[in-house]
Amino acid sequence: MDAATFESLMDKIQLQIIGTNDALYVKVLALRDAVLRKPIDLCLFTEDLSGEVAETIIIILSDENVIGCGMLKCLSPEEMQLRQMAVDKAFQGLGIGRMLVAEAELLAKKSGAKSLLLHARQTAIPFYEKCGYSATGAAFTEVGIPHLLMKKELA
């Protein structure tokens, strides 16, 4: 992507916070299924998603399309979890993921959280390390693939 195309894209994107009752939530589910479940032969739509009503859903839109998403779950008054991070393959490597992480950290701080943790797939560990997250334990299996618990203290 050349610089002009990149600038044009950055001018078009919007960051929004939505709930499960928002019409865009269906697009969030489709993105998460395509990026996080189909590549490992699973289907998001067979999972119990009822708990998501209590979570904060962060999305990035481009031309009415959800190109990135992440969710914040409150674990305690001082700790939140960033989960279900997904960026459309066509937009990966452009800073969309970093924007989502930065917004999640800002929202977590505003809510009073002192730390943010996440379950990182092995392939995403370098990305989260660049964002300031550190491993806090041994690898574990989630949705049939290796993950690592990572955490960042929020200043």
Side-chain angles (χ1 to χ4, degrees):
M1 180 178 295
D2 64 24
T5 305
F6 180 76
E7 283 297 318
S8 175
L9 170 66
M10 291 298 124
D11 288 342
K12 289 187 216 175
I13 65 171
Q14 301 173 28
L15 192 140
Q16 289 185 21
I17 308 302
I18 66 166
T20 56
N21 60 343
D22 192 295
L24 290 170
Y25 181 62
V26 174
K27 292 183 178 184
V28 170
L29 294 175
L31 176 63
R32 287 168 47 199
D33 189 55
V35 174
L36 301 174
R37 294 300 188 264
K38 283 184 181 172
I40 56 173
D41 294 324
L42 295 176
C43 178
L44 182 73
F45 300 101
T46 61
E47 298 177 25
D48 178 8
L49 305 175
S50 61
E52 294 184 0
V53 71
E55 297 182 35
T56 301
I57 305 166
I58 307 163
I59 63 169
I60 295 185
L61 292 170
S62 176
D63 295 327
E64 304 300 318
N65 296 309
V66 175
I67 62 168
C69 65
M71 301 177 73
L72 272 177
K73 179 179 183 178
C74 183
L75 301 176
S76 74
E78 294 190 349
E79 189 166 63
M80 297 189 88
Q81 179 183 7
L82 176 58
R83 49 183 240 95
Q84 296 295 301
M85 280 275 299
V87 175
D88 184 309
K89 289 198 183 296
F91 296 91
Q92 290 179 2
L94 300 176
I96 303 300
R98 285 184 185 269
M99 290 173 66
L100 289 165
V101 169
E103 184 66 15
E105 291 173 0
L106 181 66
L107 291 171
K109 283 182 201 177
K110 284 182 179 178
S111 76
K114 305 274 188 261
S115 62
L116 190 58
L117 64 82
L118 54 89
H119 296 177
R121 292 177 179 203
Q122 295 284 37
T123 56
I125 291 170
F127 166 76
Y128 289 115
E129 287 175 335
K130 288 178 188 170
C131 293
Y133 289 78
S134 301
T136 63
F140 62 94
T141 300
E142 188 172 73
V143 294
I145 58 173
H147 283 71
L148 197 57
L149 180 64
M150 300 186 81
K151 186 174 186 176
K152 182 176 183 179
E153 297 300 325
L154 303 173

PDB file of all heavy atoms in Angstrom, residues 99-139:
ATOM      1  N   MET A  99      -4.201   0.553  17.436  1.00  0.00           N
ATOM      2  CA  MET A  99      -5.261   1.501  17.788  1.00  0.00           C
ATOM      3  C   MET A  99      -6.256   0.863  18.752  1.00  0.00           C
ATOM      4  O   MET A  99      -6.691   1.501  19.714  1.00  0.00           O
ATOM      5  CB  MET A  99      -5.986   1.983  16.523  1.00  0.00           C
ATOM      6  CG  MET A  99      -5.172   2.878  15.642  1.00  0.00           C
ATOM      7  SD  MET A  99      -5.999   3.264  14.075  1.00  0.00           S
ATOM      8  CE  MET A  99      -7.388   4.209  14.666  1.00  0.00           C
ATOM      9  N   LEU A 100      -6.622  -0.382  18.489  1.00  0.00           N
ATOM     10  CA  LEU A 100      -7.560  -1.088  19.359  1.00  0.00           C
ATOM     11  C   LEU A 100      -6.979  -1.281  20.756  1.00  0.00           C
ATOM     12  O   LEU A 100      -7.664  -1.052  21.759  1.00  0.00           O
ATOM     13  CB  LEU A 100      -7.927  -2.448  18.757  1.00  0.00           C
ATOM     14  CG  LEU A 100      -8.816  -2.415  17.519  1.00  0.00           C
ATOM     15  CD1 LEU A 100      -8.804  -3.770  16.818  1.00  0.00           C
ATOM     16  CD2 LEU A 100     -10.237  -2.016  17.891  1.00  0.00           C
ATOM     17  N   VAL A 101      -5.722  -1.689  20.831  1.00  0.00           N
ATOM     18  CA  VAL A 101      -5.073  -1.897  22.134  1.00  0.00           C
ATOM     19  C   VAL A 101      -4.996  -0.569  22.892  1.00  0.00           C
ATOM     20  O   VAL A 101      -5.306  -0.505  24.086  1.00  0.00           O
ATOM     21  CB  VAL A 101      -3.677  -2.537  21.964  1.00  0.00           C
ATOM     22  CG1 VAL A 101      -2.901  -2.510  23.279  1.00  0.00           C
ATOM     23  CG2 VAL A 101      -3.801  -3.958  21.451  1.00  0.00           C
ATOM     24  N   ALA A 102      -4.606   0.500  22.212  1.00  0.00           N
ATOM     25  CA  ALA A 102      -4.495   1.813  22.869  1.00  0.00           C
ATOM     26  C   ALA A 102      -5.849   2.265  23.414  1.00  0.00           C
ATOM     27  O   ALA A 102      -5.931   2.782  24.536  1.00  0.00           O
ATOM     28  CB  ALA A 102      -3.936   2.847  21.892  1.00  0.00           C
ATOM     29  N   GLU A 103      -6.903   2.067  22.654  1.00  0.00           N
ATOM     30  CA  GLU A 103      -8.242   2.456  23.116  1.00  0.00           C
ATOM     31  C   GLU A 103      -8.677   1.593  24.291  1.00  0.00           C
ATOM     32  O   GLU A 103      -9.261   2.093  25.257  1.00  0.00           O
ATOM     33  CB  GLU A 103      -9.258   2.357  21.975  1.00  0.00           C
ATOM     34  CG  GLU A 103     -10.644   2.823  22.352  1.00  0.00           C
ATOM     35  CD  GLU A 103     -10.748   4.309  22.667  1.00  0.00           C
ATOM     36  OE1 GLU A 103      -9.836   5.094  22.345  1.00  0.00           O
ATOM     37  OE2 GLU A 103     -11.787   4.706  23.252  1.00  0.00           O
ATOM     38  N   ALA A 104      -8.392   0.301  24.232  1.00  0.00           N
ATOM     39  CA  ALA A 104      -8.732  -0.592  25.337  1.00  0.00           C
ATOM     40  C   ALA A 104      -8.016  -0.158  26.611  1.00  0.00           C
ATOM     41  O   ALA A 104      -8.610  -0.130  27.701  1.00  0.00           O
ATOM     42  CB  ALA A 104      -8.375  -2.037  24.985  1.00  0.00           C
ATOM     43  N   GLU A 105      -6.740   0.184  26.497  1.00  0.00           N
ATOM     44  CA  GLU A 105      -5.976   0.631  27.663  1.00  0.00           C
ATOM     45  C   GLU A 105      -6.543   1.926  28.228  1.00  0.00           C
ATOM     46  O   GLU A 105      -6.676   2.079  29.446  1.00  0.00           O
ATOM     47  CB  GLU A 105      -4.497   0.793  27.294  1.00  0.00           C
ATOM     48  CG  GLU A 105      -3.818  -0.534  27.025  1.00  0.00           C
ATOM     49  CD  GLU A 105      -2.401  -0.397  26.495  1.00  0.00           C
ATOM     50  OE1 GLU A 105      -1.908   0.754  26.316  1.00  0.00           O
ATOM     51  OE2 GLU A 105      -1.769  -1.445  26.253  1.00  0.00           O
ATOM     52  N   LEU A 106      -6.912   2.850  27.366  1.00  0.00           N
ATOM     53  CA  LEU A 106      -7.502   4.114  27.802  1.00  0.00           C
ATOM     54  C   LEU A 106      -8.823   3.883  28.543  1.00  0.00           C
ATOM     55  O   LEU A 106      -9.047   4.441  29.617  1.00  0.00           O
ATOM     56  CB  LEU A 106      -7.716   5.029  26.590  1.00  0.00           C
ATOM     57  CG  LEU A 106      -8.311   6.397  26.869  1.00  0.00           C
ATOM     58  CD1 LEU A 106      -7.346   7.241  27.693  1.00  0.00           C
ATOM     59  CD2 LEU A 106      -8.628   7.099  25.555  1.00  0.00           C
ATOM     60  N   LEU A 107      -9.681   3.055  27.970  1.00  0.00           N
ATOM     61  CA  LEU A 107     -10.967   2.759  28.602  1.00  0.00           C
ATOM     62  C   LEU A 107     -10.779   2.042  29.936  1.00  0.00           C
ATOM     63  O   LEU A 107     -11.485   2.321  30.907  1.00  0.00           O
ATOM     64  CB  LEU A 107     -11.838   1.915  27.670  1.00  0.00           C
ATOM     65  CG  LEU A 107     -12.359   2.614  26.428  1.00  0.00           C
ATOM     66  CD1 LEU A 107     -13.005   1.607  25.486  1.00  0.00           C
ATOM     67  CD2 LEU A 107     -13.337   3.712  26.797  1.00  0.00           C
ATOM     68  N   ALA A 108      -9.822   1.112  29.988  1.00  0.00           N
ATOM     69  CA  ALA A 108      -9.554   0.388  31.230  1.00  0.00           C
ATOM     70  C   ALA A 108      -9.074   1.357  32.313  1.00  0.00           C
ATOM     71  O   ALA A 108      -9.542   1.287  33.461  1.00  0.00           O
ATOM     72  CB  ALA A 108      -8.525  -0.717  30.987  1.00  0.00           C
ATOM     73  N   LYS A 109      -8.171   2.263  31.959  1.00  0.00           N
ATOM     74  CA  LYS A 109      -7.684   3.262  32.920  1.00  0.00           C
ATOM     75  C   LYS A 109      -8.829   4.129  33.423  1.00  0.00           C
ATOM     76  O   LYS A 109      -8.933   4.400  34.619  1.00  0.00           O
ATOM     77  CB  LYS A 109      -6.623   4.162  32.279  1.00  0.00           C
ATOM     78  CG  LYS A 109      -5.266   3.545  32.140  1.00  0.00           C
ATOM     79  CD  LYS A 109      -4.316   4.582  31.540  1.00  0.00           C
ATOM     80  CE  LYS A 109      -3.118   3.951  30.917  1.00  0.00           C
ATOM     81  NZ  LYS A 109      -2.234   4.935  30.283  1.00  0.00           N
ATOM     82  N   LYS A 110      -9.681   4.587  32.495  1.00  0.00           N
ATOM     83  CA  LYS A 110     -10.806   5.440  32.879  1.00  0.00           C
ATOM     84  C   LYS A 110     -11.757   4.727  33.839  1.00  0.00           C
ATOM     85  O   LYS A 110     -12.405   5.371  34.657  1.00  0.00           O
ATOM     86  CB  LYS A 110     -11.579   5.902  31.641  1.00  0.00           C
ATOM     87  CG  LYS A 110     -10.886   6.987  30.868  1.00  0.00           C
ATOM     88  CD  LYS A 110     -11.736   7.426  29.690  1.00  0.00           C
ATOM     89  CE  LYS A 110     -11.075   8.525  28.903  1.00  0.00           C
ATOM     90  NZ  LYS A 110     -11.874   8.929  27.736  1.00  0.00           N
ATOM     91  N   SER A 111     -11.832   3.418  33.729  1.00  0.00           N
ATOM     92  CA  SER A 111     -12.724   2.656  34.612  1.00  0.00           C
ATOM     93  C   SER A 111     -12.076   2.367  35.960  1.00  0.00           C
ATOM     94  O   SER A 111     -12.708   1.794  36.846  1.00  0.00           O
ATOM     95  CB  SER A 111     -13.143   1.350  33.947  1.00  0.00           C
ATOM     96  OG  SER A 111     -12.084   0.415  33.991  1.00  0.00           O
ATOM     97  N   GLY A 112     -10.799   2.735  36.111  1.00  0.00           N
ATOM     98  CA  GLY A 112     -10.100   2.532  37.368  1.00  0.00           C
ATOM     99  C   GLY A 112      -9.218   1.302  37.407  1.00  0.00           C
ATOM    100  O   GLY A 112      -8.601   1.010  38.436  1.00  0.00           O
ATOM    101  N   ALA A 113      -9.133   0.566  36.312  1.00  0.00           N
ATOM    102  CA  ALA A 113      -8.297  -0.640  36.281  1.00  0.00           C
ATOM    103  C   ALA A 113      -6.830  -0.267  36.399  1.00  0.00           C
ATOM    104  O   ALA A 113      -6.379   0.739  35.842  1.00  0.00           O
ATOM    105  CB  ALA A 113      -8.541  -1.427  35.004  1.00  0.00           C
ATOM    106  N   LYS A 114      -6.091  -1.087  37.098  1.00  0.00           N
ATOM    107  CA  LYS A 114      -4.650  -0.892  37.274  1.00  0.00           C
ATOM    108  C   LYS A 114      -3.851  -1.774  36.320  1.00  0.00           C
ATOM    109  O   LYS A 114      -2.681  -1.531  36.076  1.00  0.00           O
ATOM    110  CB  LYS A 114      -4.239  -1.226  38.711  1.00  0.00           C
ATOM    111  CG  LYS A 114      -5.011  -0.470  39.770  1.00  0.00           C
ATOM    112  CD  LYS A 114      -4.380   0.870  40.044  1.00  0.00           C
ATOM    113  CE  LYS A 114      -5.014   1.552  41.240  1.00  0.00           C
ATOM    114  NZ  LYS A 114      -6.002   2.540  40.913  1.00  0.00           N
ATOM    115  N   SER A 115      -4.509  -2.827  35.787  1.00  0.00           N
ATOM    116  CA  SER A 115      -3.813  -3.716  34.856  1.00  0.00           C
ATOM    117  C   SER A 115      -4.789  -4.277  33.829  1.00  0.00           C
ATOM    118  O   SER A 115      -5.995  -4.326  34.055  1.00  0.00           O
ATOM    119  CB  SER A 115      -3.114  -4.857  35.601  1.00  0.00           C
ATOM    120  OG  SER A 115      -4.058  -5.650  36.285  1.00  0.00           O
ATOM    121  N   LEU A 116      -4.218  -4.674  32.712  1.00  0.00           N
ATOM    122  CA  LEU A 116      -4.981  -5.264  31.617  1.00  0.00           C
ATOM    123  C   LEU A 116      -4.291  -6.568  31.252  1.00  0.00           C
ATOM    124  O   LEU A 116      -3.070  -6.604  31.059  1.00  0.00           O
ATOM    125  CB  LEU A 116      -4.991  -4.308  30.427  1.00  0.00           C
ATOM    126  CG  LEU A 116      -5.912  -4.605  29.267  1.00  0.00           C
ATOM    127  CD1 LEU A 116      -7.379  -4.698  29.705  1.00  0.00           C
ATOM    128  CD2 LEU A 116      -5.789  -3.517  28.198  1.00  0.00           C
ATOM    129  N   LEU A 117      -5.057  -7.640  31.210  1.00  0.00           N
ATOM    130  CA  LEU A 117      -4.468  -8.917  30.817  1.00  0.00           C
ATOM    131  C   LEU A 117      -5.171  -9.456  29.589  1.00  0.00           C
ATOM    132  O   LEU A 117      -6.230  -8.989  29.199  1.00  0.00           O
ATOM    133  CB  LEU A 117      -4.478  -9.916  31.981  1.00  0.00           C
ATOM    134  CG  LEU A 117      -5.796 -10.413  32.550  1.00  0.00           C
ATOM    135  CD1 LEU A 117      -6.381 -11.534  31.721  1.00  0.00           C
ATOM    136  CD2 LEU A 117      -5.559 -10.919  33.955  1.00  0.00           C
ATOM    137  N   LEU A 118      -4.531 -10.439  28.961  1.00  0.00           N
ATOM    138  CA  LEU A 118      -5.088 -11.040  27.755  1.00  0.00           C
ATOM    139  C   LEU A 118      -4.526 -12.438  27.575  1.00  0.00           C
ATOM    140  O   LEU A 118      -3.507 -12.787  28.155  1.00  0.00           O
ATOM    141  CB  LEU A 118      -4.790 -10.161  26.531  1.00  0.00           C
ATOM    142  CG  LEU A 118      -3.336  -9.774  26.258  1.00  0.00           C
ATOM    143  CD1 LEU A 118      -2.643 -10.808  25.400  1.00  0.00           C
ATOM    144  CD2 LEU A 118      -3.276  -8.417  25.611  1.00  0.00           C
ATOM    145  N   HIS A 119      -5.222 -13.218  26.779  1.00  0.00           N
ATOM    146  CA  HIS A 119      -4.761 -14.547  26.376  1.00  0.00           C
ATOM    147  C   HIS A 119      -4.280 -14.417  24.940  1.00  0.00           C
ATOM    148  O   HIS A 119      -5.080 -14.277  24.023  1.00  0.00           O
ATOM    149  CB  HIS A 119      -5.904 -15.565  26.442  1.00  0.00           C
ATOM    150  CG  HIS A 119      -6.446 -15.783  27.810  1.00  0.00           C
ATOM    151  ND1 HIS A 119      -7.507 -16.608  28.056  1.00  0.00           N
ATOM    152  CD2 HIS A 119      -6.084 -15.294  29.024  1.00  0.00           C
ATOM    153  CE1 HIS A 119      -7.777 -16.618  29.343  1.00  0.00           C
ATOM    154  NE2 HIS A 119      -6.923 -15.816  29.948  1.00  0.00           N
ATOM    155  N   ALA A 120      -2.970 -14.461  24.753  1.00  0.00           N
ATOM    156  CA  ALA A 120      -2.392 -14.256  23.422  1.00  0.00           C
ATOM    157  C   ALA A 120      -2.126 -15.590  22.737  1.00  0.00           C
ATOM    158  O   ALA A 120      -1.490 -16.472  23.307  1.00  0.00           O
ATOM    159  CB  ALA A 120      -1.086 -13.481  23.532  1.00  0.00           C
ATOM    160  N   ARG A 121      -2.592 -15.702  21.510  1.00  0.00           N
ATOM    161  CA  ARG A 121      -2.212 -16.847  20.689  1.00  0.00           C
ATOM    162  C   ARG A 121      -0.712 -16.745  20.458  1.00  0.00           C
ATOM    163  O   ARG A 121      -0.148 -15.642  20.404  1.00  0.00           O
ATOM    164  CB  ARG A 121      -2.948 -16.823  19.350  1.00  0.00           C
ATOM    165  CG  ARG A 121      -4.425 -17.072  19.498  1.00  0.00           C
ATOM    166  CD  ARG A 121      -5.149 -16.980  18.172  1.00  0.00           C
ATOM    167  NE  ARG A 121      -6.570 -17.256  18.383  1.00  0.00           N
ATOM    168  CZ  ARG A 121      -7.382 -17.677  17.453  1.00  0.00           C
ATOM    169  NH1 ARG A 121      -6.938 -17.851  16.215  1.00  0.00           N
ATOM    170  NH2 ARG A 121      -8.645 -17.910  17.728  1.00  0.00           N
ATOM    171  N   GLN A 122      -0.072 -17.883  20.274  1.00  0.00           N
ATOM    172  CA  GLN A 122       1.390 -17.897  20.088  1.00  0.00           C
ATOM    173  C   GLN A 122       1.816 -16.944  18.967  1.00  0.00           C
ATOM    174  O   GLN A 122       2.820 -16.252  19.089  1.00  0.00           O
ATOM    175  CB  GLN A 122       1.884 -19.325  19.794  1.00  0.00           C
ATOM    176  CG  GLN A 122       1.689 -20.282  20.944  1.00  0.00           C
ATOM    177  CD  GLN A 122       2.684 -20.101  22.080  1.00  0.00           C
ATOM    178  OE1 GLN A 122       3.074 -18.998  22.421  1.00  0.00           O
ATOM    179  NE2 GLN A 122       3.086 -21.199  22.672  1.00  0.00           N
ATOM    180  N   THR A 123       1.038 -16.896  17.898  1.00  0.00           N
ATOM    181  CA  THR A 123       1.395 -16.048  16.760  1.00  0.00           C
ATOM    182  C   THR A 123       1.276 -14.562  17.064  1.00  0.00           C
ATOM    183  O   THR A 123       1.870 -13.744  16.374  1.00  0.00           O
ATOM    184  CB  THR A 123       0.509 -16.383  15.544  1.00  0.00           C
ATOM    185  OG1 THR A 123      -0.864 -16.248  15.932  1.00  0.00           O
ATOM    186  CG2 THR A 123       0.765 -17.794  15.039  1.00  0.00           C
ATOM    187  N   ALA A 124       0.506 -14.195  18.092  1.00  0.00           N
ATOM    188  CA  ALA A 124       0.287 -12.780  18.419  1.00  0.00           C
ATOM    189  C   ALA A 124       1.208 -12.274  19.528  1.00  0.00           C
ATOM    190  O   ALA A 124       1.224 -11.078  19.817  1.00  0.00           O
ATOM    191  CB  ALA A 124      -1.168 -12.568  18.812  1.00  0.00           C
ATOM    192  N   ILE A 125       1.973 -13.162  20.150  1.00  0.00           N
ATOM    193  CA  ILE A 125       2.830 -12.760  21.274  1.00  0.00           C
ATOM    194  C   ILE A 125       3.775 -11.607  20.899  1.00  0.00           C
ATOM    195  O   ILE A 125       3.855 -10.625  21.637  1.00  0.00           O
ATOM    196  CB  ILE A 125       3.585 -13.971  21.854  1.00  0.00           C
ATOM    197  CG1 ILE A 125       2.579 -14.893  22.555  1.00  0.00           C
ATOM    198  CG2 ILE A 125       4.692 -13.531  22.807  1.00  0.00           C
ATOM    199  CD1 ILE A 125       3.137 -16.244  22.961  1.00  0.00           C
ATOM    200  N   PRO A 126       4.473 -11.661  19.765  1.00  0.00           N
ATOM    201  CA  PRO A 126       5.367 -10.538  19.422  1.00  0.00           C
ATOM    202  C   PRO A 126       4.617  -9.199  19.305  1.00  0.00           C
ATOM    203  O   PRO A 126       5.143  -8.159  19.725  1.00  0.00           O
ATOM    204  CB  PRO A 126       5.966 -10.949  18.076  1.00  0.00           C
ATOM    205  CG  PRO A 126       5.888 -12.447  18.073  1.00  0.00           C
ATOM    206  CD  PRO A 126       4.613 -12.766  18.796  1.00  0.00           C
ATOM    207  N   PHE A 127       3.409  -9.224  18.771  1.00  0.00           N
ATOM    208  CA  PHE A 127       2.604  -7.997  18.665  1.00  0.00           C
ATOM    209  C   PHE A 127       2.339  -7.414  20.050  1.00  0.00           C
ATOM    210  O   PHE A 127       2.553  -6.224  20.297  1.00  0.00           O
ATOM    211  CB  PHE A 127       1.281  -8.276  17.938  1.00  0.00           C
ATOM    212  CG  PHE A 127       0.277  -7.168  18.082  1.00  0.00           C
ATOM    213  CD1 PHE A 127       0.413  -6.002  17.350  1.00  0.00           C
ATOM    214  CD2 PHE A 127      -0.792  -7.286  18.963  1.00  0.00           C
ATOM    215  CE1 PHE A 127      -0.507  -4.958  17.495  1.00  0.00           C
ATOM    216  CE2 PHE A 127      -1.715  -6.258  19.108  1.00  0.00           C
ATOM    217  CZ  PHE A 127      -1.565  -5.092  18.372  1.00  0.00           C
ATOM    218  N   TYR A 128       1.880  -8.266  20.967  1.00  0.00           N
ATOM    219  CA  TYR A 128       1.550  -7.778  22.310  1.00  0.00           C
ATOM    220  C   TYR A 128       2.805  -7.348  23.073  1.00  0.00           C
ATOM    221  O   TYR A 128       2.751  -6.388  23.842  1.00  0.00           O
ATOM    222  CB  TYR A 128       0.740  -8.809  23.085  1.00  0.00           C
ATOM    223  CG  TYR A 128      -0.661  -8.952  22.542  1.00  0.00           C
ATOM    224  CD1 TYR A 128      -1.098 -10.136  21.970  1.00  0.00           C
ATOM    225  CD2 TYR A 128      -1.552  -7.880  22.583  1.00  0.00           C
ATOM    226  CE1 TYR A 128      -2.376 -10.253  21.455  1.00  0.00           C
ATOM    227  CE2 TYR A 128      -2.825  -7.980  22.065  1.00  0.00           C
ATOM    228  CZ  TYR A 128      -3.243  -9.175  21.513  1.00  0.00           C
ATOM    229  OH  TYR A 128      -4.512  -9.272  21.004  1.00  0.00           O
ATOM    230  N   GLU A 129       3.923  -8.018  22.850  1.00  0.00           N
ATOM    231  CA  GLU A 129       5.170  -7.586  23.484  1.00  0.00           C
ATOM    232  C   GLU A 129       5.540  -6.179  23.019  1.00  0.00           C
ATOM    233  O   GLU A 129       5.961  -5.340  23.830  1.00  0.00           O
ATOM    234  CB  GLU A 129       6.301  -8.577  23.177  1.00  0.00           C
ATOM    235  CG  GLU A 129       6.166  -9.877  23.933  1.00  0.00           C
ATOM    236  CD  GLU A 129       7.196 -10.920  23.556  1.00  0.00           C
ATOM    237  OE1 GLU A 129       7.732 -10.884  22.418  1.00  0.00           O
ATOM    238  OE2 GLU A 129       7.460 -11.791  24.405  1.00  0.00           O
ATOM    239  N   LYS A 130       5.357  -5.885  21.736  1.00  0.00           N
ATOM    240  CA  LYS A 130       5.631  -4.543  21.216  1.00  0.00           C
ATOM    241  C   LYS A 130       4.705  -3.497  21.828  1.00  0.00           C
ATOM    242  O   LYS A 130       5.052  -2.319  21.906  1.00  0.00           O
ATOM    243  CB  LYS A 130       5.497  -4.516  19.695  1.00  0.00           C
ATOM    244  CG  LYS A 130       6.614  -5.222  18.980  1.00  0.00           C
ATOM    245  CD  LYS A 130       6.400  -5.215  17.482  1.00  0.00           C
ATOM    246  CE  LYS A 130       7.424  -6.079  16.786  1.00  0.00           C
ATOM    247  NZ  LYS A 130       7.110  -6.282  15.367  1.00  0.00           N
ATOM    248  N   CYS A 131       3.546  -3.934  22.275  1.00  0.00           N
ATOM    249  CA  CYS A 131       2.580  -3.037  22.924  1.00  0.00           C
ATOM    250  C   CYS A 131       2.822  -2.926  24.426  1.00  0.00           C
ATOM    251  O   CYS A 131       2.052  -2.268  25.132  1.00  0.00           O
ATOM    252  CB  CYS A 131       1.154  -3.520  22.663  1.00  0.00           C
ATOM    253  SG  CYS A 131       0.619  -3.403  20.942  1.00  0.00           S
ATOM    254  N   GLY A 132       3.870  -3.584  24.931  1.00  0.00           N
ATOM    255  CA  GLY A 132       4.230  -3.461  26.332  1.00  0.00           C
ATOM    256  C   GLY A 132       3.710  -4.546  27.254  1.00  0.00           C
ATOM    257  O   GLY A 132       3.816  -4.424  28.475  1.00  0.00           O
ATOM    258  N   TYR A 133       3.174  -5.623  26.715  1.00  0.00           N
ATOM    259  CA  TYR A 133       2.656  -6.726  27.529  1.00  0.00           C
ATOM    260  C   TYR A 133       3.766  -7.746  27.792  1.00  0.00           C
ATOM    261  O   TYR A 133       4.635  -7.946  26.954  1.00  0.00           O
ATOM    262  CB  TYR A 133       1.460  -7.389  26.836  1.00  0.00           C
ATOM    263  CG  TYR A 133       0.255  -6.490  26.849  1.00  0.00           C
ATOM    264  CD1 TYR A 133       0.147  -5.429  25.959  1.00  0.00           C
ATOM    265  CD2 TYR A 133      -0.749  -6.662  27.790  1.00  0.00           C
ATOM    266  CE1 TYR A 133      -0.921  -4.557  26.001  1.00  0.00           C
ATOM    267  CE2 TYR A 133      -1.836  -5.799  27.832  1.00  0.00           C
ATOM    268  CZ  TYR A 133      -1.916  -4.743  26.936  1.00  0.00           C
ATOM    269  OH  TYR A 133      -2.972  -3.873  26.986  1.00  0.00           O
ATOM    270  N   SER A 134       3.682  -8.386  28.959  1.00  0.00           N
ATOM    271  CA  SER A 134       4.661  -9.407  29.351  1.00  0.00           C
ATOM    272  C   SER A 134       3.950 -10.694  29.718  1.00  0.00           C
ATOM    273  O   SER A 134       2.849 -10.659  30.297  1.00  0.00           O
ATOM    274  CB  SER A 134       5.461  -8.940  30.567  1.00  0.00           C
ATOM    275  OG  SER A 134       6.137  -7.748  30.279  1.00  0.00           O
ATOM    276  N   ALA A 135       4.597 -11.806  29.426  1.00  0.00           N
ATOM    277  CA  ALA A 135       4.053 -13.118  29.793  1.00  0.00           C
ATOM    278  C   ALA A 135       4.037 -13.238  31.314  1.00  0.00           C
ATOM    279  O   ALA A 135       4.955 -12.789  31.984  1.00  0.00           O
ATOM    280  CB  ALA A 135       4.895 -14.224  29.186  1.00  0.00           C
ATOM    281  N   THR A 136       2.974 -13.851  31.835  1.00  0.00           N
ATOM    282  CA  THR A 136       2.855 -13.990  33.289  1.00  0.00           C
ATOM    283  C   THR A 136       2.679 -15.440  33.720  1.00  0.00           C
ATOM    284  O   THR A 136       2.334 -15.696  34.861  1.00  0.00           O
ATOM    285  CB  THR A 136       1.681 -13.161  33.839  1.00  0.00           C
ATOM    286  OG1 THR A 136       0.472 -13.659  33.277  1.00  0.00           O
ATOM    287  CG2 THR A 136       1.844 -11.704  33.519  1.00  0.00           C
ATOM    288  N   GLY A 137       2.898 -16.374  32.824  1.00  0.00           N
ATOM    289  CA  GLY A 137       2.741 -17.775  33.197  1.00  0.00           C
ATOM    290  C   GLY A 137       3.113 -18.694  32.061  1.00  0.00           C
ATOM    291  O   GLY A 137       3.599 -18.255  31.009  1.00  0.00           O
ATOM    292  N   ALA A 138       2.845 -19.970  32.273  1.00  0.00           N
ATOM    293  CA  ALA A 138       3.153 -20.989  31.269  1.00  0.00           C
ATOM    294  C   ALA A 138       2.085 -20.999  30.176  1.00  0.00           C
ATOM    295  O   ALA A 138       0.966 -20.534  30.374  1.00  0.00           O
ATOM    296  CB  ALA A 138       3.228 -22.360  31.941  1.00  0.00           C
ATOM    297  N   ALA A 139       2.447 -21.559  29.045  1.00  0.00           N
ATOM    298  CA  ALA A 139       1.505 -21.689  27.935  1.00  0.00           C
ATOM    299  C   ALA A 139       0.347 -22.594  28.342  1.00  0.00           C
ATOM    300  O   ALA A 139       0.501 -23.483  29.181  1.00  0.00           O
ATOM    301  CB  ALA A 139       2.220 -22.252  26.712  1.00  0.00           C
TER     302      ALA A 139
END
